[in-house]
Amino acid sequence: MAKPGAQRSVGRQRWLVVVVGGFALYCMFLFQMRLWSAASQADLRANVISAERDPAVIDRPTVKQDERPRHDTRQDTEVTQQPFNVQVEEVATQQQNLRAVDSPLSTPGAVIVSTTKPTSPVIAGFDVPAVPIATTQAAPSLADRHKIVSGYDATMKFLASYRVPEGSDEQLFLFFVCGDEKGEQTAWRRVCVDAADLVYDVFAKSPSRNKLLTIHAGSKKDWSAANMFFKDGDLKVKMIPALMQWHGGHRGAKRATSGMIIEESILYQPLLRYLFKNEDIPDPLLAPEKIASKDIVVLKGYKNYRQYIDAIATGSLTAPEGPMFLFLIAGRLGSNDRLWCPYCRYSEISVEYAFKAFAPPGSRLIKVETVNSYAIWKNPSNDWKGDTDLMVRGVPWMYRANLDKGARSFSFERVSERFDHPDALRGIFQGWKNPV
């Protein structure tokens, strides 16, 4: 049985709870009444932001729209007599078209074009923050320079009617992604989604002369067998996503393409920026002073290759100060200038970028377009397969070419990597990747 003192204590606690609870309810009632009263009266306070007030004046430095950055550039042309047609291109501030010309040069020999050091700022390394280059005019938005078509027939219709405006430097890029003829099923490959996000972001910052055509190139079912994009002799898209430049927009031009990048290689942002020739943020690896002494030489056929190599070995031509690399690829089809070897086609722009970005100063890359058809290549008696110094068995094929000045001859060390991805080539061009 509970004691009387304990019962009185419990009773006092109960009364205290009742009193406190009642007081709380009374306070809440008074507060609610005050809110109702305030809501029935108009708020007569002046607005903080009034439409009748004059806008504040913000002082900005005057921007003169007619001013353009000045670049005092001097070009010196040196002609070296040679008994064969070879095109030598000095790597300068802009990406060069390294395709060898079919017609001979007006003056026999190699043409070396050099430019003085530009005055525009460059970035010294990856650790230095990139500073966008200011422009006086806003670049057109992505929507103004971008079109989307779905299916093969719509693509052919667009390309057949596409024309570069007279006197324009417009450049068209084709971006093949997942998607059926209705523009659906666009995400059946994750890499299509990731590539689209990056391509659109980089392209939006590219020069205003660039145009982009996104092509829904098929569903998963469409790519379970060879489809029309796969079979097309000009496009020859063997996998998606794929990106390339189209050169067929000029009157009488071939239905030519170049700079093809496929699948995960599209996710390598520096390569995208190189293809689109972005100028918003300079690539620190392509700073003009870093690449000015690197040469890319383009030769066509075994005869020109043999004469060039022998001329360097005997001292008739100057050897590079840095390492020399030999890159053998397929030749080009006469109808559209397309390399007949698919992997050569995917590797061309990747090797070009990697050489400029990673090779030491004074390096030279000799790119040789071997033969113009697979039928010629298969012939066991063709000159390339008979060269015992090279022992080449396929294309693309790459060597380090080592000159023995005493013996006046070259030795060749084969190097092999994923030629379609620049970062994989870093070790080859920097010298720490062992020969095969």
Side-chain angles (χ1 to χ4, degrees), residues 160-431:
S161 62
Y162 172 72
R163 292 292 180 271
V164 176
E166 194 70 27
S168 170
D169 60 351
E170 180 174 300
Q171 297 183 10
L172 177 64
F173 296 87
L174 309 182
F175 183 34
F176 300 84
V177 297
C178 303
D180 59 19
E181 293 184 349
K182 297 180 180 179
E184 300 173 352
Q185 302 186 51
T186 58
W188 62 269
R189 292 199 72 194
R190 178 65 196 180
V191 67
C192 280
V193 179
D194 294 340
D197 291 342
L198 185 59
V199 167
Y200 296 150
D201 178 65
V202 173
F203 184 85
K205 303 166 188 173
S206 72
S208 59
R209 65 175 176 269
N210 291 346
K211 308 294 181 184
L212 181 66
L213 178 68
T214 293
I215 300 168
H216 292 139
S219 63
K220 185 175 182 179
K221 181 180 179 181
D222 294 331
W223 282 93
S224 62
N227 55 45
M228 294 304 296
F229 289 105
F230 187 99
K231 297 176 181 178
D232 188 281
D234 298 318
L235 300 177
K236 213 67 174 177
V237 180
K238 291 185 174 289
M239 56 196 71
I240 54 175
L243 182 65
M244 66 184 75
Q245 185 173 350
W246 174 259
H247 300 281
H250 296 277
R251 185 180 300 276
K254 297 178 181 179
R255 294 169 61 84
T257 58
S258 68
M260 189 172 189
I261 311 173
I262 61 167
E263 294 196 308
E264 284 79 7
S265 294
I266 296 177
L267 304 180
Y268 191 75
Q269 185 174 147
L271 189 59
L272 277 184
R273 298 176 60 82
Y274 184 72
L275 174 66
F276 293 146
K277 302 181 180 68
N278 280 41
E279 299 173 346
D280 56 320
I281 300 176
D283 188 329
L285 296 178
L286 302 184
E289 69 273 14
K290 290 185 177 182
I291 65 175
S293 62
K294 302 178 187 181
D295 291 337
I296 296 180
V297 178
V298 182
L299 304 173
K300 298 189 73 171
Y302 185 81
K303 180 181 179 181
N304 284 338
Y305 154 74
R306 190 74 261 170
Q307 289 177 331
Y308 184 84
I309 287 293
D310 291 345
I312 294 179
T314 59
S316 300
L317 284 178
T318 304
E321 296 180 0
M324 190 163 77
F325 303 90
L326 176 63
F327 185 45
L328 305 181
I329 59 174
R332 301 185 185 276
L333 302 177
S335 60
N336 55 21
D337 289 341
R338 176 174 59 80
L339 299 176
W340 53 260
C341 158
Y343 191 44
C344 297
R345 193 179 176 206
Y346 313 148
S347 303
E348 190 173 24
I349 191 172
S350 172
V351 169
E352 180 183 317
Y353 173 84
F355 171 77
K356 294 180 181 181
F358 305 130
S363 299
R364 186 176 299 173
L365 175 66
I366 304 170
K367 184 170 70 172
V368 186
E369 298 174 7
T370 52
V371 296
N372 289 338
S373 74
Y374 182 53
I376 299 175
W377 180 260
K378 287 193 301 182
N379 187 342
S381 62
N382 79 63
D383 293 330
W384 293 103
K385 294 185 177 179
D387 192 312
T388 56
D389 292 332
L390 296 176
M391 301 293 291
V392 59
R393 298 191 300 274
V395 288
W397 211 261
M398 184 178 285
Y399 303 90
R400 289 197 194 109
N402 304 309
L403 174 61
D404 185 335
K405 294 184 178 180
R408 293 190 172 187
S409 64
F410 275 95
S411 62
F412 299 92
E413 297 177 304
R414 185 193 168 204
V415 287
S416 180
E417 250 304 346
R418 275 196 59 178
F419 294 126
D420 63 327
H421 198 284
D423 226 25
L425 297 166
R426 185 189 297 262
I428 289 179
F429 290 125
Q430 291 182 344

Side-chain angles (χ1 to χ4, degrees), residues 127-138:
D127 295 334
V128 181
V131 180
I133 299 175
T135 57
T136 57
Q137 295 181 352

